[in-house]
Each structure stands twice: as structure tokens, then as C-alpha cells.
Amino acid sequence: MTGKKDLLAVLDFYLVTDSGLSKKGTLSDVQEAVAAGCRIVQYREKNKSTKEMVAEASQIKSICGADAIFLVNDRIDVALAVDADGVHIGQEDMPIDIARAILGADKIIGLTVHNISEAIEAERSGADYVGLSPIFDTATKSDAGTGIGTERIKDVKNAINIPVVAIGGINKQNCRSVIENGADSLVAISAVVCSDDVKRETQELIAVIKSASGRI
Ligand code: TZP
Ligand code: MG
């Protein structure tokens, strides 16, 4: 890799796939989101075999091309198999120092955090960005916990020097406040993959995010 780490500084909308919720399928969702201007895609797949995942990940990698960062959720083996740009891992997944040793310095590692202390520890241990979760209550991840609210985003943002990506219960109606409260980027899974027009939904989210962040 890559100069793709540089893209982390200019993120707006961040697509996370969900084949269980998707109306048109993961590949279609990725295609439409990237066509709409999305510059980071996380392949999050909980229901397929490793073989199926490797095949699908390889297709997603080609859709992302040079324009969008391509990360794999949890599965460092799948990320390595297709030479993805990196991984997104949670507090209960592979410890980040071991993930870094396996993946090398150039790959991107994102870590889910829930509070300031986890965020500070994530930066200290070499995460390239944090996913702050969940901002609002969400039915998409059953064990996500209760929404922490937008005020907490500022506290986390002020405590660290790596990008903060907000996730959990975010949609077109509430995304402005998420960015105005300090998130660099945000994920909206159900709001996007359950919509009839993923491309239009992504474009509209990107427009609000850019306007809210002054990056218009
Ligand atoms: N991690 C924390 S909350 C969440 C994940 C994967 C689900 C977010 O989905 P939605 O539909 O945007 O609330
Ligand atoms: Mg995980």
C-alpha cells in the first residue's frame, strides 16, 4: 500500500455493509455508495463462509479501487487474503498491537471505542482512527448498548489526535448534530442499506456532512 492513509484526514460518509439488512445486496450497496462519493468502505459480514467472504471481499476491493479505503471488519485473515487496506476491530477482537504486528505499519486499523479512556488507549496503541459507538440507540447491533448522545463526541474528539468516526442510530435527520459535535465522519448502516436508492441516500448524507463540517 498505499497513500490511502491520507484519505483518513478527509473522510465524510463511511459505508459499513450489512447483507442481512441490505435491500439490493452488499456489492450493489458498495457500488452505489462509491459512485456517490463515499471514500471508505468496511466489509462487515457475519453470515457467510470464509470462502464466500474472500470472494466477495476481492470484488469489493476492485469496486473501491484507488478512490476508496477498503477495510474488513474483524477478519484479519480475510483482509490479508485480499490485500485490503486494513481492518476495523472491536474491543473483544484481536488486540491491536498483535493486529499491527500481523498487518504491518502501512495498513489501516480502526478500533471501536465507547468512551474517552478507550479512545486514549486506542490512539496510544496505534489505531489509525476510532469508531465511537453507539451515538444513539440502534436495533442494527443487538449488543451495541445504550446511545451515549452527541455531547460525548466532543469529549472524545478533544482527548485524541486521530479521526473520530461516529456510529449507531445515525440517519439523515440527526447526522448534522453528530458532525457539529465533533465527529470527523459517520456511519449510517440501516439508513443507507435499507433505502430504495443507496446512491441518492449516500449523496444526501455526504452533502449534509460536508455542510455541517464546513468542508463544502
Ligand atoms: N457498531 C456499533 S453500532 C452498529 C455497529 C456495527 C450498528 C449501526 O447501525 P445503524 O443501522 O447505523 O444504527
Ligand atoms: Mg468486531
Side-chain angles (χ1 to χ4, degrees):
M1 266 209 359
T2 128
K4 283 203 177 161
K5 274 202 185 188
D6 297 342
L7 286 178
L8 288 174
V10 294
L11 292 181
D12 36 56
F13 175 70
Y14 178 142
L15 180 74
V16 175
T17 69
D18 189 320
S19 61
L21 287 177
S22 173
K23 270 203 172 151
K24 297 191 182 149
T26 289
L27 290 179
S28 166
D29 293 343
V30 174
Q31 241 145 11
E32 292 193 32
V34 170
C38 171
R39 294 288 162 260
I40 182 162
V41 173
Q42 180 193 132
Y43 179 43
R44 182 171 182 270
E45 179 52 65
K46 306 285 188 189
N47 301 312
K48 291 183 182 157
S49 70
T50 300
K51 190 173 178 178
E52 288 170 314
M53 284 188 69
V54 168
E56 195 161 54
S58 161
Q59 290 174 285
I60 296 173
K61 183 185 165 176
S62 356
I63 299 167
C64 289
D67 294 334
I69 294 169
F70 170 45
L71 307 180
V72 178
N73 180 275
D74 287 0
R75 295 289 302 271
I76 294 178
D77 55 340
V78 174
L80 283 172
V82 303
D83 192 26
D85 298 314
V87 295
H88 183 92
I89 53 182
Q91 294 287 325
E92 305 306 321
D93 295 320
M94 182 81 71
I96 194 159
D97 52 336
I98 300 177
R100 179 62 73 198
I102 294 171
L103 289 166
D106 288 346
K107 295 292 188 192
I108 293 167
I109 302 180
L111 183 66
T112 294
V113 303
H114 308 91
N115 52 49
I116 294 181
S117 55
E118 287 179 359
I120 290 171
E121 178 57 18
E123 181 176 32
R124 193 205 58 74
S125 59
D128 294 296
Y129 73 89
V130 297
L132 180 60
S133 159
I135 306 304
F136 305 106
D137 293 354
T138 177
T140 302
K141 188 177 195 295
S142 56
D143 61 352
T146 304
I148 60 173
T150 51
E151 282 296 311
R152 296 276 80 75
I153 305 172
K154 268 189 204 122
D155 302 338
V156 168
K157 177 68 187 165
N158 290 334
I160 58 177
N161 294 299
I162 52 177
V164 176
V165 178
I167 184 167
I170 301 172
N171 55 40
K172 226 163 32 194
Q173 286 66 48
N174 61 25
C175 70
R176 174 171 286 277
S177 72
V178 170
I179 297 296
E180 286 175 347
N181 278 285
D184 296 289
S185 172
L186 59 83
V187 174
I189 301 183
S190 48
V192 169
V193 307
C194 298
S195 92
D196 289 320
D197 189 339
V198 167
K199 185 171 175 192
R200 197 188 57 206
E201 198 65 24
T202 305
Q203 282 168 332
E204 290 177 1
L205 277 160
I206 290 174
V208 180
I209 295 165
K210 281 193 193 302
S211 143
S213 63
R215 272 187 263 141
I216 198 162

